[in-house]
Amino acid sequence: MGFAESDWRHLTSRMAWVEGRLKAKGATVRSPDLMPPVDRAQVDAFSDRTGLRLPQDLIDLVTGFAGGWSFSWNLGVAGTDRWLRPGVDVGAFGGNGEVPFLGASRETTLLDLYQQFQEEIHDTFFADAGDAESLRRMPSVFPLHLFEGGGGDSTVLRLDTSPCEVVFLDHEKTYRIDEGQVIGRGLGDFLRRWANVGFVSCEYLDVFIDAEGRDIDDVGIAAREWIRWLDDPEAA
C-alpha cells in the first residue's frame, strides 16, 4: 500500500495540532523540522547494493514528501498515574529532537542509513548476546528512528515481512526481534495511527498497542483518554 498526499497532510496537520496543544499548556516547543524529499535513484541504489526491496509506502514518503523529520516533544507516560501525561522533558529536550525519524538526505542516503545502522548494531553486545533468530533477521532491518528517547533503543522496519513490520528494538532485551516487539504492520498504517495518538515516543507505545493485532489502537480507551488530556484546556 502506498503513501498519498492525503496521508502526508494528515501527518503534518497532526504535528501542528500537537505543537499547538503543548504550547497552550505552557510548553516551549519547536516547530517540526521537515527534510526535503530524496531522488528516486537512492531507492534503486539501495536495492542494487543490498538485494532488499523497500516497501512502496516508504518509497512514496521519502521521494514525494520528506526524507525525514524531527520534533522537539517527547511524549510519554509519567509514573504510575492512571492518566497519560507528557514526559518530563516535553518541549525542553526530548529524544525526538536529537535524531530525525528516517533522516535520508542528499548527503546521507537510504543506503548510508542502512549500512551505518547494520554496522553499529553489530558493534554492540547484540553480536555476542543476541538470540540466534534475531541475529538472522537483522540484515533485513531498516532503521526508522535511532536513539529513542536519547537512549540505546531504536525503531526499525522489517523488510522481510509483508506488510513490513515496525519493530521497537529494546537494548534491555538485547535488541530481540519477535512478535512482542512489533508496534505496527506497514509503515504507512503505522504512521497514520502514530499521528492519531500524537507521535508518542515509541518506547511508550506499549500503552496503546493492541496485544492481538500488534498495532496502535488509536481509538481505544487509552488513546481516547490521552487525546482528551491533550485537548483539555484545564489540564496543565
Side-chain angles (χ1 to χ4, degrees):
M1 186 175 178
F3 190 88
E5 174 73 32
S6 58
D7 298 317
W8 180 243
R9 287 199 303 269
H10 178 62
L11 255 64
T12 52
S13 65
R14 293 299 285 180
M15 288 179 187
W17 175 76
V18 175
E19 178 187 359
R21 292 312 307 142
L22 294 177
K23 285 181 177 179
K25 294 175 182 295
T28 301
V29 296
R30 299 192 309 271
S31 297
D33 182 17
L34 306 178
M35 303 171 65
V38 300
D39 193 271
R40 171 70 195 219
Q42 286 198 23
V43 176
D44 299 332
F46 174 86
S47 295
D48 291 344
R49 186 69 175 270
T50 66
L52 299 169
R53 294 187 62 182
L54 295 171
Q56 191 60 49
D57 46 16
L58 188 151
I59 294 172
D60 290 345
L61 172 61
V62 299
T63 62
F65 302 100
W69 61 79
S70 59
F71 34 76
S72 61
W73 62 82
N74 187 20
L75 303 181
V77 180
T80 58
D81 290 351
R82 175 176 177 271
W83 300 100
L84 299 171
R85 301 168 184 265
V88 294
D89 289 332
V90 63
F93 186 66
N96 288 328
E98 301 167 33
V99 179
F101 187 88
L102 283 170
S105 66
R106 179 181 298 180
E107 295 76 22
T108 305
T109 67
L110 295 167
L111 179 60
D112 291 335
L113 292 172
Y114 171 81
Q115 292 178 329
Q116 290 169 11
F117 169 76
Q118 292 293 334
E119 180 179 345
E120 290 172 4
I121 197 72
H122 284 90
D123 198 31
T124 67
F125 57 87
F126 169 72
D128 299 317
D131 74 288
E133 188 61 19
S134 295
L135 281 163
R136 185 186 69 80
R137 293 171 174 171
M138 195 60 75
S140 297
V141 162
F142 184 86
L144 295 176
H145 192 204
L146 306 181
F147 306 111
E148 276 281 355
D153 304 326
S154 299
T155 303
V156 300
L157 190 68
R158 284 189 61 183
L159 303 181
D160 59 343
T161 60
S162 182
C164 294
E165 293 176 347
V166 180
V167 179
F168 182 73
L169 295 183
D170 190 337
H171 74 282
E172 293 183 353
K173 296 182 179 180
T174 327
Y175 302 114
R176 191 178 186 90
I177 301 175
D178 58 24
E179 184 71 10
Q181 298 303 111
V182 176
I183 57 176
R185 301 188 188 278
L187 178 62
D189 182 70
F190 168 78
L191 290 175
R192 288 183 284 270
R193 293 171 183 264
W194 191 32
N196 287 343
V197 297
F199 303 97
V200 172
S201 181
C202 291
E203 62 183 325
Y204 296 113
L205 275 181
D206 60 320
V207 173
F208 303 100
I209 296 296
D210 172 69
E212 183 176 349
R214 293 311 303 175
D215 53 23
I216 301 171
D217 182 6
D218 54 1
V219 296
I221 294 174
R224 292 200 303 270
E225 290 180 348
W226 168 244
I227 297 303
R228 187 179 300 118
W229 180 86
L230 278 174
D231 265 333
D232 186 355
E234 301 299 323

